[in-house]
Amino acid sequence: IIGLGSSGTTVYQIPSSPNVLKTGSCSSIWQDFRLTKRVYDATEHAMTWRRHPFCGAYEEWQVPSTPYAMDFYREDHDFVGRIKDRLPLSHRDAPRSMFVTERIPPVAKEARDALIELYFDTSDAVQEAAKADPDNNDCLVRIYLGERESREEQCCTSLRNFPLRLNMIQDIGLDVDDLATSMAIGLAIIHWECQVDALGVEFVLGGSRRGKDTDDDRPEDYSRMDMPPREVIASSDKEPRRSQMWMLGFGKASTFALTKEEVTTRLVPAFLGNDPYYPRPGVEAGLWEIFREAYVEASKQLTCLSGGGDRFEELCQFFVDEVVRVVKEDGR
C-alpha cells in the first residue's frame, strides 16, 4: 500500500511497473477513473496554449499534470479475482472495483531527506529511522497555500501526504507565486475545460512525469550534499524536470451546469470546503490576488480555445467574486 484516498480509495504499488492499482467502491472509483481521464485529456489539450496564434502562453511546467488512467475493472471482473491473492491479507476479503493508473513519482530523495531534517524530531535516532523508513519513499507533498501553521505544530512523523503549509513554504524558499499560478491554471482547466466542480481534488508536489529524468532514473545529485536543507528543497523546485504539481483524486467530484446557481451551490462550497490547497482572501491577500488573476486569465485562455464566449468569462468572474463574498460573510 502506498496511499489512501479521502473517498475510501486505496493505492497499491505494482512491482516493477511505473503504474499503480487504485481500488475503492464501484461508484466512487468509477467516478475517479472517468474524471481523471477527462482532466488528463484537458491538461494535454492545454499545452496547445503556447502555440495558439491568438491566445497568450504559459510555460509547460506551469500546467499541473494529471495521472493517466488506464484499464478499469468492476469488482466482479475476472482480473479482480486473479489479483486478489496478491493484495495484503487484510484487503482480500471484500472484492472492490479498481483501475490501473500512472504512478506519480515521489519528490527527489534529497528533498525528502531535507524535509525530515527540518520537520521531524531532531534526535539522531529519529532522523536515521525516518530516512531509512521505506514508507517515507512514497512522498507526495500537499501544497496548502490557504493555511498557516505554528512552529509548535510542525513536528511530523511521516512523509506520506506531507502537509506543507504556507508559512513552511515561505520559510523553505519555494516560489509561492509560481505555486499559486499553477494551482489557479489547474483549477481553471477543471472548471471550464472539464465542467467539473473539483470537490475533494488534491494538489500535490511530486516528481516529474517518467521519461523526463525523474528521481528513479537519473544519478543522485551529490552536489547538494553540503547544501542546507532549505536550499535543497528550493533548488529542487526550480528544476521543472525534477518536480511537478499534480492534480488527483476525483472520486467525490462531479460535473455541473453552466449557471450562476451551480457556481454558488457547487463550485464555491467545493472550493472553500476542500483541504486548504487554494490561497484564501482572508489568509494572505496578495497571494489570493495572484491566484485570482491567474485563474481568470487561464479561464479566458480556455474560453478562447473552446469558443465558450462571454458566458464562461462571466461565470468565472462570478465564481471568484462569490468566494470573496462568502469568506467575508463567514469571517473565514
Side-chain angles (χ1 to χ4, degrees), residues 19-311:
N19 303 320
V20 294
L21 196 64
K22 196 168 187 178
T23 72
S25 66
C26 188
S27 58
S28 67
I29 206 70
W30 169 249
Q31 187 78 333
D32 195 1
F33 172 74
R34 72 184 191 88
L35 293 186
T36 297
K37 289 180 71 69
R38 179 184 290 198
V39 175
Y40 172 85
D41 290 342
T43 56
E44 292 296 297
H45 179 229
M47 300 304 179
T48 63
W49 292 351
R50 295 185 301 143
R51 298 182 292 276
H52 196 277
F54 176 73
C55 294
Y58 289 106
E59 295 293 333
E60 182 175 346
W61 63 266
Q62 289 182 291
V63 180
S65 295
T66 300
Y68 178 66
M70 295 164 239
D71 306 307
F72 180 85
Y73 302 98
R74 290 178 56 91
E75 58 191 32
D76 56 357
H77 195 280
D78 289 345
F79 176 79
V80 176
R82 292 198 307 270
I83 204 171
K84 184 175 67 172
D85 291 339
R86 300 179 65 182
L87 300 179
L89 285 172
S90 60
H91 291 245
R92 295 179 186 178
D93 292 339
R96 312 182 85 193
S97 299
M98 57 185 66
F99 68 93
V100 179
T101 183
E102 173 187 11
R103 181 176 184 175
I104 301 176
V107 298
K109 182 181 184 303
E110 58 265 27
R112 299 196 298 266
D113 288 348
L115 287 171
I116 290 171
E117 291 170 21
L118 285 170
Y119 298 115
F120 282 52
D121 187 284
T122 56
S123 69
D124 290 343
V126 170
Q127 291 279 313
E128 291 174 9
K131 291 178 181 179
D133 186 349
D135 285 351
N136 285 332
N137 294 339
D138 305 316
C139 174
L140 299 180
V141 176
R142 291 183 173 183
I143 302 297
Y144 287 164
L145 299 180
E147 184 176 84
R148 295 184 178 276
E149 187 175 52
S150 69
R151 174 65 63 180
E152 291 73 21
E153 296 173 315
Q154 288 180 11
C155 189
C156 301
T157 58
S158 174
L159 287 183
R160 286 193 174 182
N161 294 324
F162 187 85
L164 201 64
R165 293 174 171 82
L166 180 57
N167 55 304
M168 300 162 71
I169 295 169
Q170 293 167 329
D171 185 42
I172 288 170
L174 297 181
D175 194 321
V176 178
D177 295 355
D178 279 349
L179 292 173
T181 298
S182 292
M183 199 174 289
I185 294 170
L187 185 62
I189 291 171
I190 295 172
H191 280 170
W192 308 115
E193 181 78 359
C194 304
Q195 285 183 229
V196 170
D197 59 18
L199 180 63
V201 172
E202 301 175 33
F203 289 81
V204 303
L205 194 66
S208 56
R209 181 165 264 123
R210 288 180 181 274
K212 294 186 177 181
D213 293 331
T214 64
D215 183 51
D216 289 338
D217 56 17
R218 68 184 283 174
E220 190 68 38
D221 189 352
Y222 291 103
S223 67
R224 300 166 187 246
M225 291 182 66
D226 296 326
M227 293 172 63
R230 287 177 176 78
E231 293 183 21
V232 169
I233 301 170
S235 61
S236 291
D237 184 63
K238 286 180 169 58
E239 300 177 27
R241 296 171 67 87
R242 292 186 66 82
S243 63
Q244 173 70 40
M245 184 177 288
W246 293 75
M247 307 182 292
L248 70 152
F250 296 91
K252 294 180 179 179
S254 57
T255 56
F256 66 94
L258 295 173
T259 67
K260 287 187 175 182
E261 180 181 3
E262 289 280 271
V263 170
T264 300
T265 60
R266 300 276 303 284
L267 269 63
V268 173
F271 181 92
L272 295 175
N274 199 357
D275 286 351
Y277 296 104
Y278 313 113
R280 303 289 180 96
V283 175
E284 184 155 320
L287 189 62
W288 162 255
E289 280 303 307
I290 290 170
F291 176 88
R292 184 193 64 78
E293 290 175 8
Y295 175 86
V296 170
E297 180 59 30
S299 299
K300 289 180 180 178
Q301 301 275 353
L302 290 165
T303 299
C304 171
L305 290 177
S306 65
D310 295 340
R311 182 60 174 164

